[in-house]
Amino acid sequence: MSRPRVRDDLRVLDGYHSPQLDVDVRLNTNESPEPPPSGFVAALAERLAGLEWHRYPDRAARELRERLAEHHGVTPAMVFAANGSNEVIQSVLLAFGGAGRRAAVFEPTYAMHGQIARVTGTEVVEGERTADFALDLQTVASLITETSPAVTFLCSPNNPTGVVDPAGTVAGVLDLVEPGGGLVVVDEAYGQFTPHSALGQVGDGAALAVTRTYSKTWAMAGARLGYLIGPEWLVSELEKVALPYHLSSPTQAAGIVALDFVTEMEARVARLVEQRGRLVSRLAGLDVDVWPSGANFVLFRPRPLAGDEVWRALVDRSILVRNCSSWPRLAGCLRVTVGTPAENDAFLDALEEILP
Ligand SMILES: *Cc1c(COP(=O)(O)O)cnc(C)c1O
C-alpha cells in the first residue's frame, strides 16, 4: 500500500497542544476554577430527562438563539452558535476564508486563529504588536494595504497577554478593512472580565462579528459551546457551511439553562476579577515582569530565572501554568490562570519559594 498523503499544505502543521499533567493545581487553560452553580446542574438534569433523545436536535437552535439574542439585545438572526467558539471561527473561515484568501492576525495572539485559518486553506498574514503588546493602527493599516485580508482577527482581552484594546480600535480597523470588502472578527472569549466590548458596534452596516464562549466566564468548558453575534447577512452565510444538526440537543439545553443563571455568572466573574487584582499585586512585589490583564489570567516573566526552569519547579510542586517561554515574542514568559483563593496562594507561595 502506498500510504495516502495528507494535503501538502497540512504537512507542515502541528496539531494544537496544551500539555495536561496530573497535578493538584491546574492554572494552565483559563478554565473557571469554580463549577457552575448546583442550581444549574439540577435544572439541566431535569431538562435532559425530558429530552427527545431519538430525535435530531433543532437544526436552527431557535430557543438558544432567542435566549442569547435577548441576553445581548439583538435579534436571533444575528446569533450563530457552534461547538465552542473555535468551531464558530472555523465556520467563519470556511465561509469567508479558504483557498486564495488571507486572514490577518496580530502577534502575539491566540494561536488558534492562525491554526484554524491554515487548516481551512486560508493564508495567514501576521502583523506585530508593539513591545507592550498593544495594537498599533499604523501597523494594522500597512498589513491590510499590503495583503487585503478577507478576515482580520482581533482579540480583546487578548490571549495570552491579557491586553484590552482601547475602545476606538475596532472602529479604526473597520475603517481600514471595509473599503476592500474585509471582515473583522473580534474574539471576546474573556469579554465579561472587562468593561470594554465591541458588541455595541455590531449591526447591519458593519463588517463585524464578535465571538463569545461558554468555556471561560460561564464555567462550562466541558460543554463545548460558543457563539457569534454578527449582522444577519453574515449569519446566513455561516449557516451554509455548518454541518446539519451540528449542535446537539444536550449542548443547546446547557446553553439555554445557563442563561437562567446570569447573576451567578456575574458574581463568579467579579470574584475572579478580585482574585486577579490580588494575583497581580503580589506578583508585582516579586522579581518578575507582569502585564496588566483584562482577562482571567496573568502573563509574567521571571527575571532571575529562565521561564522553563520556573515552569518545571512549579510542576515539581504540583502546580501547572502555561509555559509560553519558547513562543515567539514571549521569551521567558509564563501565563497563570486566576484560580480559587487557595490555588492562587499555592501558586504565589511556590513562586516566592522558587525565585532567588
Ligand atoms: C479559550 C479561548 C477560546 C475558547 O474556545 P472554545 O472553543 O469556545 O472553548 C476562544 N478564543 C480565545 C482567545 C480563547 O482564549
Side-chain angles (χ1 to χ4, degrees):
M1 178 195 87
S2 83
R3 219 184 250 186
R5 267 173 14 122
V6 74
R7 263 163 45 194
D8 287 338
D9 60 328
L10 290 187
R11 273 192 297 163
V12 297
L13 282 188
D14 276 333
Y16 180 75
H17 303 291
S18 177
Q20 291 292 7
L21 304 176
D22 194 12
V23 291
D24 294 337
V25 179
R26 271 169 54 174
L27 301 175
N28 64 323
T29 48
N30 302 342
E31 294 152 323
S32 164
E34 297 176 29
S38 56
F40 161 81
V41 177
L44 180 57
E46 198 179 308
R47 192 168 167 122
L48 291 181
L51 209 71
E52 294 194 303
W53 291 93
H54 59 303
R55 300 293 180 198
Y56 278 113
D58 174 10
R59 191 169 165 175
R62 267 170 303 212
E63 188 180 353
L64 175 64
R65 290 165 69 186
E66 276 163 21
R67 292 292 308 277
L68 283 168
E70 194 187 324
H71 180 64
H72 288 296
V74 298
T75 65
M78 295 173 72
V79 183
F80 175 81
N83 296 283
S85 53
N86 284 328
E87 194 182 61
V88 172
I89 290 164
Q90 184 184 59
S91 305
V92 169
L93 286 160
L94 285 171
F96 292 93
R101 293 184 171 211
R102 300 191 179 103
V105 297
F106 297 90
E107 297 289 354
T109 192
Y110 185 51
M112 289 307 295
H113 297 154
Q115 172 81 8
I116 301 170
R118 291 183 181 98
V119 169
T120 62
T122 315
E123 184 192 341
V124 177
V125 292
E126 290 180 2
E128 300 285 328
R129 286 171 195 264
T130 62
D132 53 358
F133 304 131
L135 203 58
D136 167 40
L137 278 182
Q138 234 22 66
T139 309
V140 179
S142 339
L143 187 71
I144 286 167
T145 315
E146 282 161 28
T147 65
S148 309
V151 181
T152 296
F153 284 100
L154 302 180
C155 188
S156 180
N158 190 22
N159 181 5
T161 60
V163 170
V164 178
D165 292 332
T169 298
V170 171
V173 177
L174 276 171
D175 282 345
L176 293 167
V177 308
E178 280 178 346
L183 169 69
V184 176
V185 175
V186 183
D187 186 330
E188 291 191 355
Y190 304 96
Q192 294 93 330
F193 290 112
T194 174
H196 281 286
S197 173
L199 280 171
Q201 296 170 66
V202 173
D204 231 30
L208 171 67
V210 176
T211 64
R212 291 265 172 128
T213 177
Y214 281 75
S215 297
K216 315 287 163 55
T217 49
W218 286 100
M220 287 167 62
R224 307 305 302 128
L225 182 58
Y227 60 95
L228 158 158
I229 306 290
E232 293 182 15
W233 52 261
L234 179 130
V235 170
S236 61
E237 303 299 350
L238 300 183
E239 279 158 2
K240 294 180 188 165
V241 300
L243 295 173
Y245 312 111
H246 70 293
L247 206 56
S248 79
S249 307
T251 308
Q252 294 185 32
I256 294 162
V257 173
L259 292 165
D260 288 333
F261 296 86
V262 174
T263 314
E264 289 83 349
M265 179 274 283
E266 286 172 348
R268 187 173 53 244
V269 166
R271 284 194 289 280
L272 290 172
V273 167
E274 191 191 324
Q275 284 299 309
R276 178 181 77 201
R278 205 168 66 84
L279 204 54
V280 170
S281 70
R282 261 190 79 185
L283 280 170
L286 299 177
D287 199 4
V288 301
D289 296 317
V290 55
W291 284 271
S293 170
N296 67 336
F297 56 83
V298 178
L299 187 76
F300 67 100
R301 180 192 281 133
R303 284 191 287 242
L305 295 175
D308 226 33
E309 206 177 325
V310 173
W311 183 81
R312 269 169 219 293
L314 286 167
V315 171
D316 289 343
R317 288 161 178 81
S318 209
I319 295 163
L320 185 59
V321 300
R322 195 68 193 269
N323 188 357
C324 318
S325 62
S326 63
W327 299 1
R329 309 161 188 90
L330 293 170
C333 290
L334 303 177
R335 188 196 68 194
V336 60
T337 304
V338 179
T340 61
E343 289 172 330
N344 300 332
D345 282 337
F347 160 74
L348 288 161
D349 292 346
L351 186 63
E352 222 162 52
E353 198 179 287
I354 293 162
L355 294 173

